[in-house]
């Protein structure tokens, strides 16, 4: 019997549905080629539903989504909805409720893709960021005092638990080992100022590394220096592990040096549960419905999804197909690719 997987699809807002459609097209093609089956089930969570019902995620959603092998997400964010409501109500809510404690973001320059960094080639830009995805400044602890007065105080705390940090570090060590490039894991932190939070990270990093990953070289860089090196010497990096907030920031920088939001994909991973894959570019409202947005990030996210559910060869094949067509595109930016959204999807399929 053919192996089959149940995939929940949340196309979401803006250009989300357009890129997810191309992603599904590619995933179906590759699943046929490799002899497994994908059953997609659609969920309409996003800005439109919120506007109609006032609901971001219905109560039953999380329990329902737990039954899938993976979740494939387009984009969340609507111009008519106040920033924060959908992001927190849907995206962060899912990451937290499903305990997707890893945010995995490859930063890889594909052939023929323009990078703003002069004289850097695909061999120079090829690393992975492992971002902690359920703690840090994102947990929402803190509060106001005397809100709205001139004495107002706002506190927002970064929560770092030994358990949360340790499971993230272990995952990063495993990724480094498996990637087998220079087997170097860089902890990105701020030990000179955040002397509690990153002290915990640093101690755990060395304890775990010393005990269980002696084959992996341990390296450290402050977050500001990490930004500097990512631009000046990206070839120094192999795998970077960091907290939620720093990971959010450095992966946008990473997306830019790999050619932009049109190509950057990410996985919200719970290695013991249900993971969710997304292009990291957002909903791009101004390009919606024009068939001009770049679907490659969504397609790459689909490839990552296959790798995670256990169809590694098929996932790698998707990436290879994408790498074989990037030289044909004039640019990765929306409207400038020299092809439409659907044509890019077709190109990937013919490359398969
Ligand atoms: C990302 C996004 C989200 C984040 C936003 C939309 C809440 O920027 O996935 O990087 O900050 O994690
Ligand atoms: Mn971000």
């Amino acid at each position: 019997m053919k192996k089959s997987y149940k995939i929940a699809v949340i196309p979401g807002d803006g250009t989300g549905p357009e890129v997810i459609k191309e992603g599904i097209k590619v995933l179906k093609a590759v699943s046929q080629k490799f002899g497994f089956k994908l059953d997609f089930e659609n969920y309409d969570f996003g800005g439109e539903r919120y506007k109609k019902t006032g609901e971001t995620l219905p109560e039953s959603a999380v329990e329902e989504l737990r039954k899938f092998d993976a979740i494939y997400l387009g984009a969340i964010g609507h111009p008519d909805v106040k920033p924060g409501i959908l992001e927190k109500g849907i995206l962060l809510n899912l990451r937290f409720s499903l305990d997707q404690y890893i945010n995995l973001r490859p930063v890889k320059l594909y052939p023929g893709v323009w990078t703003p960094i002069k004289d850097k080639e695909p061999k120079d830009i090829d690393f992975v960021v492992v971002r902690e995805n359920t703690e840090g400044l994102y947990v929402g602890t803190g509060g106001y005092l005397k809100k709205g007065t001139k004495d107002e105080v706002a506190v927002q705390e970064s929560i770092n638990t030994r358990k949360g940090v340790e499971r993230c570090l272990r995952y990063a060590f495993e990724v480094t080992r498996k990637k087998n490039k220079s087997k170097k894991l860089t902890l990105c932190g701020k030990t000179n100022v955040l002397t509690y939070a990153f002290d915990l990270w640093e101690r755990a990093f060395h304890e775990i590394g010393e005990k269980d990953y002696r084959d992996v070289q341990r390296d450290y860089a402050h977050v500001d220096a990490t930004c500097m090196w990512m631009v000046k010497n990206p070839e120094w990096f192999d795998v970077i592990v960091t907290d939620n907030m720093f990971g959010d920031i450095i992966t946008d920088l990473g997306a830019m040096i790999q050619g932009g939001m049109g190509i950057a994909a990410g996985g919200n991973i719970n290695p013991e549960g249900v993971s969710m894959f997304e292009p990291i570019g957002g909903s791009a409202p101004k390009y919606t419905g024009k068939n001009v947005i770049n679907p490659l990030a969504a397609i790459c996210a689909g490839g990552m999804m296959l790798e995670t559910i256990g169809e590694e060869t098929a996932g790698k094949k998707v990436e290879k197909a994408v790498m074989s067509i990037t030289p044909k595109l004039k640019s990765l930016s929306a409207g400038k690719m020299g092809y439409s959204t659907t044509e890019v999807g077709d190109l990937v399929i013919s490359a398969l």
Side-chain angles (χ1 to χ4, degrees):
M1 210 182 75
K2 263 193 192 177
K3 247 193 150 167
S4 91
Y5 303 92
K6 284 170 62 190
I7 310 292
V9 182
I10 308 175
D13 301 318
T15 50
E18 290 166 65
V19 296
I20 284 296
K21 194 162 159 240
E22 296 314 300
I24 290 180
K25 204 162 95 178
V26 170
L27 289 172
K28 281 194 171 146
V30 78
S31 68
Q32 270 160 22
K33 200 175 152 66
F34 284 82
F36 59 91
K37 205 166 158 285
L38 296 169
D39 292 315
F40 296 98
E41 196 170 324
N42 230 62
Y43 288 87
D44 67 349
F45 311 139
E48 289 305 325
R49 181 186 170 126
Y50 175 75
K51 276 172 47 183
K52 266 186 243 136
T53 65
E55 196 171 53
T56 48
L57 266 193
E59 288 226 345
S60 57
V62 174
E63 284 322 307
E64 226 173 286
L65 290 171
R66 261 188 232 287
K67 296 181 197 132
F68 286 85
D69 291 298
I71 304 167
Y72 194 32
L73 174 79
I76 296 294
H78 195 291
D80 302 343
V81 182
K82 204 176 129 207
I85 294 181
L86 301 171
E87 292 87 338
K88 278 191 161 176
I90 302 173
L91 186 62
L92 298 183
N93 192 349
L94 287 175
R95 287 180 183 169
F96 281 83
S97 313
L98 296 170
D99 204 18
Q100 293 162 341
Y101 60 87
I102 298 297
N103 195 318
L104 189 66
R105 297 191 169 178
V107 178
K108 187 164 170 179
L109 182 65
Y110 287 152
V113 172
W114 181 81
T115 172
I117 307 186
K118 197 162 166 272
D119 299 332
K120 296 294 177 194
E121 301 165 34
K123 69 169 175 29
D124 301 312
I125 302 178
D126 179 11
F127 59 92
V128 175
V129 178
V130 176
R131 163 186 172 189
E132 201 292 322
N133 212 29
T134 51
E135 298 196 339
L137 282 166
Y138 276 69
V139 298
T141 54
Y144 299 106
L145 275 174
K146 302 180 186 173
K147 190 177 175 190
T149 74
K150 65 179 180 2
D151 297 322
E152 176 163 356
V153 179
V155 178
Q156 189 120 26
E157 292 152 334
S158 174
I159 303 298
N160 298 265
T161 68
R162 175 74 197 208
K163 178 182 154 201
V165 167
E166 184 157 340
R167 64 186 184 174
C168 175
L169 288 169
R170 283 193 181 278
Y171 189 89
F173 275 111
E174 293 290 338
V175 169
T176 315
R177 196 175 256 174
K178 186 149 179 241
K179 188 162 185 279
N180 203 14
K181 183 185 159 187
S182 50
K183 283 226 204 158
K184 182 170 86 174
L185 178 60
T186 304
L187 171 65
C188 161
K190 190 73 188 171
T191 51
N192 53 348
V193 176
L194 306 180
T195 48
Y196 307 124
F198 279 99
D199 177 54
L200 191 165
W201 276 84
E202 200 177 33
R203 274 184 286 118
F205 182 57
H206 291 299
E207 279 166 29
I208 295 165
E210 198 58 35
K211 184 165 170 279
D212 295 329
Y213 299 93
R214 295 286 287 271
D215 55 321
V216 174
Q217 186 195 333
R218 277 168 271 140
D219 176 41
Y220 173 82
H222 295 318
V223 61
D224 45 355
T226 303
C227 292
M228 186 171 85
W229 301 130
M230 275 172 72
V231 172
K232 191 167 178 291
N233 297 97
E235 67 279 5
W236 287 356
F237 293 114
D238 181 359
V239 180
I240 300 177
V241 61
T242 190
D243 83 345
N244 210 342
M245 188 78 257
F246 292 166
D248 178 47
I249 298 166
I250 69 168
T251 52
D252 266 27
L253 178 55
M256 285 302 121
I257 69 171
Q258 74 181 118
M261 289 301 189
I263 194 81
N268 302 276
I269 296 176
N270 176 343
E272 298 89 35
V274 187
S275 303
M276 175 167 76
F277 299 83
E278 52 171 345
I280 74 175
S283 58
K286 72 174 178 186
Y287 298 118
T288 303
K290 300 200 167 113
N291 200 21
V292 296
I293 194 81
N294 187 345
L296 289 180
I299 292 170
C300 291
M304 286 176 78
M305 177 165 79
L306 294 184
E307 287 194 40
T308 311
I309 61 177
E311 294 294 340
E312 243 188 305
T313 332
K316 290 242 157 58
K317 184 79 190 170
V318 171
E319 189 187 24
K320 281 221 181 77
V322 169
M323 286 170 77
S324 76
I325 69 128
T326 46
K328 296 189 180 146
L329 306 189
K330 284 202 204 114
S331 152
L332 295 186
S333 308
K336 298 181 188 147
M337 300 185 288
Y339 296 92
S340 67
T341 306
T342 43
E343 281 169 345
V344 173
D346 293 340
L347 280 177
V348 176
I349 290 179
S350 37
L352 283 174

